[in-house]
């Protein structure tokens, strides 16, 4: 029991530290927005709207939050500015729970899916390969056997980076020569994993968005070929987004969700940015669960996204 509480405390500290820049930025702006005001009026709401939009929460999600606060202020008749942080925290937490998804408890995979196949998509530079390496580490740490597939065959650096992660974590990486058919690499990876009774397969894919039709065709081909080995693969299409790019991450999410059936997201590099509000907007707008968040360079710094803990860290509250 002591170990798990210590472990949770460590993770909470990492989360607090990772979101500290966002927290300082957002709450500094909110403090200025309500300066000299005793109650939440139209001017405060207008200022708050500007704060949320400039914190990369996104226009649509911001308007939803403002409407909720307006409704609370109307119902309670008088809401002072000191209460605003609590109301904001409650409404953001409520918004994040409306996707009808349940936060995972740990790095686990559903029973009866073996191997559990994750196809990872995202543009170059978002931390895709690093996220795959950290995921492989966490699954292996949880006692799962893992295979990695280097299906981003258009960049030598991507294959090399995945090989380095494979060696570091101690999991096999299946690759072919540069320029090989990505679907062929995926087929080989799943065949090897199935033959060796592996638990998890993670397939890296090329991070190109310049031609949406080409991307769609390529990802569809990879899926179809994988299904020759594992009929219902991939079980998870994980989109990796760089949280530090703010609104650009929204655009990437839009393009990839149009190109393929994304059913999970990982948002990386939150520790180096004040744009953590993007997690709220993306979760709300796309109705696709944010499953993982990246909070640093360390191998342990990929965390499962737990909505309540995220909001608590963002608003500086701690559970009693």
């Amino acid at each position: 029991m002591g170990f798990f509480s210590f472990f949770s405390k460590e993770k909470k500290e990492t989360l607090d530290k990772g979101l500290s820049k966002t927290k300082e930025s957002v709450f500094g702006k909110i403090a200025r927005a309500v300066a000299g005001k005793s109650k939440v009026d139209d001017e405060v709401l207008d200022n708050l709207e500007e704060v949320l939009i400039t914190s990369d929460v996104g226009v649509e999600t911001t308007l939803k939050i403002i409407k909720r606060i307006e409704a609370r202020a109307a119902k309670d008749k008088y809401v002072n500015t000191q209460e605003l942080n609590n109301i904001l925290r409650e409404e953001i937490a409520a918004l994040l729970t409306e996707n009808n998804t349940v936060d995972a408890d740990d790095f686990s995979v559903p029973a009866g899916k073996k191997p559990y196949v994750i196809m990872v998509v995202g543009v170059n530079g978002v931390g895709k390969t690093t996220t795959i390496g950290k995921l492989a580490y966490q699954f292996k740490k949880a006692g799962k056997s893992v295979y990695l597939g280097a299906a981003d065959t258009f960049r030598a650096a991507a294959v090399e980076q995945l090989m380095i992660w494979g060696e570091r974590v101690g999991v096999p990486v299946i690759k072919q020569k540069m320029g090989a058919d990505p679907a062929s690499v995926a087929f080989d990876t799943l065949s090897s994993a199935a033959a060796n009774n592996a638990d998890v397969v993670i397939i890296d894919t090329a991070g190109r968005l310049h031609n949406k039709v080409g991307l769609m065709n390529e990802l569809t081909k990879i899926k179809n070929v994988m299904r020759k080995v594992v009929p219902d693969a991939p079980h998870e299409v994980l989109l990796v987004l760089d949280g530090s790019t703010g609104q650009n991450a929204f655009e990437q999410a839009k393009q990839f969700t149009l190109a393929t059936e994304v059913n999970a997201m990982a948002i990386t590099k939150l520790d180096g940015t004040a744009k953590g509000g993007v997690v709220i907007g993306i979760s709300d707008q796309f109705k696709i669960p944010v499953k993982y968040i990246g909070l640093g360079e360390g191998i342990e710094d990929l965390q499962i996204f737990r909505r309540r803990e995220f909001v608590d860290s963002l608003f500086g509250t701690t559970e009693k």
Side-chain angles (χ1 to χ4, degrees):
M1 184 73 182
F3 170 77
F4 286 107
S5 58
F6 174 74
F7 190 64
S8 297
K9 187 184 172 197
E10 292 286 295
K11 285 196 175 297
K12 185 72 168 67
E13 285 172 359
T14 301
L15 185 60
D16 288 346
K17 188 179 170 190
L19 294 177
S20 61
K21 287 187 180 178
T22 297
K23 181 181 163 187
E24 285 162 20
S25 171
V26 172
F27 288 101
K29 289 175 183 174
I30 289 175
R32 289 191 290 276
V34 301
K37 293 282 188 179
S38 61
K39 68 170 190 167
V40 176
D41 57 16
D42 288 345
E43 187 183 349
V44 167
L45 289 172
D46 285 346
N47 291 341
L48 181 60
E49 185 178 314
E50 187 181 332
V51 168
L52 293 173
I53 289 170
T54 56
S55 301
D56 290 282
V57 171
V59 175
E60 287 182 51
T61 303
T62 293
L63 293 177
K64 276 190 196 177
I65 293 167
I66 295 298
K67 274 187 183 172
R68 286 166 178 251
I69 293 171
E70 277 180 327
R72 287 278 292 269
K75 183 171 70 110
D76 299 342
K77 301 300 180 207
Y78 183 90
V79 174
N80 65 41
T81 51
Q82 287 182 318
E83 291 176 87
L84 185 59
N85 278 356
N86 281 338
I87 293 171
L88 194 55
R89 176 184 175 279
E90 286 166 15
E91 294 305 336
I92 288 173
L95 201 65
L96 287 172
T97 58
E98 285 171 11
N99 287 349
N100 295 320
T101 56
V102 178
D103 293 344
D105 289 328
D106 52 22
F107 289 88
S108 59
V109 294
K113 305 277 186 190
K114 190 170 180 174
Y116 184 76
V117 182
I118 303 169
M119 183 168 82
V120 183
V121 300
V123 299
N124 297 332
V126 296
K128 188 159 51 78
T129 311
T130 301
T131 298
I132 291 169
K134 290 179 180 180
L135 265 180
Y137 166 78
Q138 292 289 357
F139 283 128
K140 189 178 179 192
K141 190 174 156 188
K144 307 291 181 191
S145 56
V146 184
Y147 270 67
L148 304 181
D152 183 353
T153 59
F154 297 93
R155 288 192 314 131
V159 178
E160 285 166 17
Q161 195 183 357
L162 201 65
M163 294 297 294
I164 290 166
W165 270 107
E167 285 173 22
R168 184 179 178 187
V169 176
V171 300
V173 178
I174 306 301
K175 64 168 187 168
Q176 292 183 12
K177 65 181 188 302
M178 287 308 301
D181 182 0
S184 174
V185 178
F187 180 85
D188 283 357
T189 308
L190 264 66
S191 298
S192 295
N196 289 283
N197 203 31
D199 297 302
V200 182
V201 176
I202 310 175
I203 303 290
D204 191 11
T205 64
R208 295 165 303 152
L209 252 187
H210 62 273
N211 181 344
K212 199 166 65 201
V213 175
L215 175 72
M216 193 181 296
N217 291 342
E218 184 177 293
L219 295 177
T220 300
K221 184 181 176 186
I222 292 171
K223 283 182 181 179
N224 290 340
V225 167
M226 286 198 290
R227 283 171 184 160
K228 292 177 180 176
V229 185
V230 178
D232 54 350
H235 305 106
E236 190 173 301
V237 178
L238 179 68
L239 172 61
V240 181
L241 298 167
D242 177 350
S244 70
T245 63
Q247 290 305 297
N248 195 27
F250 275 88
E251 186 56 32
Q252 288 173 25
K254 194 165 145 191
Q255 297 299 328
F256 273 99
T257 51
L258 288 171
T260 191
E261 294 167 359
V262 175
N263 58 8
M265 294 192 194
I267 300 182
T268 65
K269 307 184 187 181
L270 290 174
D271 57 306
T273 180
K275 297 175 183 285
V278 75
V279 176
I280 300 161
I282 284 175
S283 179
D284 173 55
Q285 289 301 302
F286 293 95
K287 306 300 179 196
I288 295 167
V290 174
K291 200 167 181 182
Y292 308 108
I293 50 175
L295 298 158
E297 296 297 318
I299 201 165
E300 294 273 6
D301 292 339
L302 183 74
Q303 284 195 13
I304 288 166
F305 177 60
R306 295 181 177 91
R307 289 163 287 192
R308 184 173 173 183
E309 287 178 14
F310 180 86
V311 175
D312 282 351
S313 284
L314 194 58
F315 283 81
T317 57
T318 53
E319 291 185 34
K320 299 284 185 279

